[in-house]
Amino acid sequence: SLGFSNLASPSVKTTLRMRVVSINNIVSSQSAPSTPFVVPRELSAADAATLHVLNPPTYSSVPIIRAFGVVSLFAAWASQAKMNTVLAAAWEAVRTTAWFRHDMFEPVVAVSSFFVFIHAWLGVDWLASSGRLPGLRKYQIVPKALIVENGGDGTERSRQRLTRWHYGWYKELAVYLLPLWALASFTDAFAPRRRALAMAAPTAARVAKEILGGLFFYDLFFAVTHAGLHRLRLPSWVPGGWGVASTSSSSSTSSRRSPSPVFQRLHGKHHANADIRACDTVRLTTVEETIDVVCSIAALRVMGAHPLSRSLYNVVIIFLLAELHSGYDMPWSPQNVVPGGLVAGSRRHHAHHADGAVFYQKFLTYFDDAFGFTYRNRRGGEGSKQGEATHTAEAKALVA
């Protein structure tokens, strides 16, 4: 159970859009504090993320952003010839440079992208939590506790209490780089990329197709392995403490069993925070990092991606991964801009971190929807709509 029964009382003051906790009534009911006090969140991370998925906010700016996207796509299509000329010139310029030809170029692009995008979201966190741009708080998926302080002039200031930043992220990147450096230095594993440098310049259409195709296949490959990390339960006779005793439970309740050793040892680290931040993008075990890299390489191999497409793919996918773990639901997020519920986005992924039994796909929704890894199947039986209806009713009860 998600524990909604404790939240439906009239004392719960929240909105359907899961906005930041209001402190007005709490402050007015207390004498002016001489020391800071904490205004608690009114919803747990799991409940807030669940409601954000079931009742997503609507932004008035989304139609404008969509229109801009359509115009941009049309402009790109109309100017393909010019873009192809630019790509050809760029390819001829970089393909002979030592830094682009180096085997470690793509891994360094990936690490640099992680650094830039993760710390960009750290800047957003600082602006929102410190109150310098409090308007950003309305885009947070999970409401934050507020620490209220008296200013010297008698006014009150509030700042948000965020989950702890993962300062060990650089260690994760080292674990990612060192094996690749060893492969580049002592093996011929990067020979296919060196041979690909002899290819002709790609067209803009090819680059777009290979980036989008790479994202699609990466998402598919990762969803399958990700679901396995959560749901695989080895039999008790498997040595080393990897097995668990068999249990007889229906599909509607199996997702609520205790985590298996496979999850705890290989994936639990990534789920350290139910209320995630961008740094959690790289809070991974070595096995997880290996799975991520293998899925990405396999996707690009399926597409036969050009070296230029591969480099741009690294930047695009890391931007999306950081946004996925940011904890924000921005109007420009693909989940809002792309119609039809095709994109999973930060809402579903935040809910996944809070409730690991749902939403294993990162970018798209078809895998989870097809195999029932959604709230629809959490209650009421496999394939029915009762579970989703129950959650929706509970969501409405919170704001009644």
Side-chain angles (χ1 to χ4, degrees):
S1 173
L2 292 175
F4 282 100
S5 58
N6 297 326
L7 300 172
S9 66
S11 62
V12 175
K13 295 177 174 63
T14 186
T15 66
L16 195 61
R17 293 187 180 184
M18 301 312 305
R19 296 308 179 222
V20 68
V21 178
S22 171
I23 66 171
N24 295 334
N25 294 334
I26 300 175
V27 172
S28 63
S29 65
Q30 302 188 32
S31 58
S34 56
T35 57
F37 67 94
V38 176
V39 180
R41 287 187 307 206
E42 295 184 3
L43 293 175
S44 69
D47 295 330
T50 298
L51 287 175
H52 214 85
V53 170
L54 293 174
N55 299 280
T58 55
Y59 301 114
S60 59
S61 57
V62 168
I64 299 174
I65 298 171
R66 286 177 176 171
F68 177 79
V70 171
V71 171
S72 299
L73 288 174
F74 179 79
W77 175 81
S79 59
Q80 285 187 76
K82 185 175 182 179
M83 293 173 65
N84 292 341
T85 301
V86 172
L87 281 175
W91 176 238
E92 291 304 319
V94 301
R95 67 188 296 188
T96 57
T97 59
W99 51 270
F100 187 86
R101 298 180 67 86
H102 199 283
D103 289 344
M104 290 297 290
F105 173 76
E106 289 181 22
V108 170
V109 168
V111 168
S112 301
S113 299
F114 273 121
F115 181 87
V116 170
F117 295 132
I118 287 174
H119 287 86
W121 283 110
L122 176 61
V124 173
D125 281 341
W126 176 73
L127 291 171
S129 62
S130 67
R132 285 169 174 81
L133 279 180
L136 290 171
R137 295 177 180 178
K138 67 183 178 182
Y139 301 117
Q140 292 170 337
I141 294 174
V142 174
K144 317 300 180 187
L146 295 179
I147 301 174
V148 182
E149 300 171 314
N150 274 337
D153 54 357
T155 60
E156 289 170 340
R157 296 190 302 267
S158 67
R159 55 187 174 88
Q160 290 182 314
R161 173 178 288 177
L162 304 180
T163 52
R164 184 176 179 82
W165 186 259
H166 179 44
Y167 287 102
W169 63 268
Y170 63 90
K171 298 178 183 177
E172 322 289 353
L173 298 185
V175 171
Y176 165 75
L177 278 177
L178 288 176
L180 295 175
W181 172 82
L183 288 173
S185 301
F186 304 109
T187 73
D188 207 27
F190 288 85
R193 181 182 182 274
R194 292 195 292 272
R195 290 194 295 268
L197 294 174
M199 298 172 67
T203 63
R206 177 180 178 177
V207 170
K209 180 189 74 173
E210 290 174 351
I211 291 175
L212 292 175
L215 293 173
F216 175 85
F217 283 111
Y218 165 84
D219 195 43
L220 173 61
F221 299 155
F222 179 84
V224 174
T225 56
H226 190 197
L229 289 174
H230 277 270
R231 306 179 78 87
L232 181 62
R233 304 177 73 84
L234 300 176
S236 57
W237 51 262
V238 175
W242 287 91
V244 293
S246 60
T247 58
S248 58
S249 57
S250 66
S251 60
S252 62
T253 59
S254 60
S255 61
R256 280 169 261 159
R257 293 179 293 178
S258 59
S260 72
V262 173
F263 169 83
Q264 292 173 328
R265 297 184 184 185
L266 302 183
H267 191 47
K269 178 181 178 181
H270 188 60
H271 281 257
N273 282 334
D275 185 9
I276 53 174
R277 300 175 67 186
C279 58
D280 291 301
T281 309
V282 293
R283 192 196 296 263
L284 304 170
T285 64
T286 303
V287 171
E288 288 178 285
E289 289 196 19
T290 302
I291 290 173
D292 252 350
V293 172
V294 170
C295 288
S296 204
I297 292 175
L300 293 173
R301 290 286 179 88
V302 169
M303 295 303 299
H306 190 278
L308 206 55
S309 302
R310 292 168 61 98
S311 300
L312 295 173
Y313 163 89
N314 280 318
V315 177
V316 172
I317 192 172
I318 291 168
F319 169 82
L320 293 174
L321 291 174
E323 189 267 339
L324 203 68
H325 293 84
S326 66
Y328 292 83
D329 180 9
M330 294 295 192
W332 50 260
S333 174
Q335 66 197 348
N336 293 316
V337 176
V338 178
L342 299 176
V343 175
S346 59
R347 284 196 296 266
R348 279 196 174 198
H349 201 68
H350 210 111
H352 167 74
H353 273 261
D355 177 1
V358 292
F359 306 139
Y360 300 120
Q361 207 167 5
K362 284 183 175 178
F363 302 142
L364 300 175
T365 59
Y366 68 89
F367 179 87
D368 290 325
D369 292 347
F371 289 96
F373 300 139
T374 65
Y375 290 131
R376 173 174 295 185
N377 290 335
R378 290 301 304 275
R379 303 178 186 178
E382 187 73 21
S384 76
K385 294 186 177 181
Q386 182 181 343
E388 186 172 347
T390 302
H391 281 276
T392 303
E394 290 169 331
K396 292 180 179 178
L398 289 175
V399 293

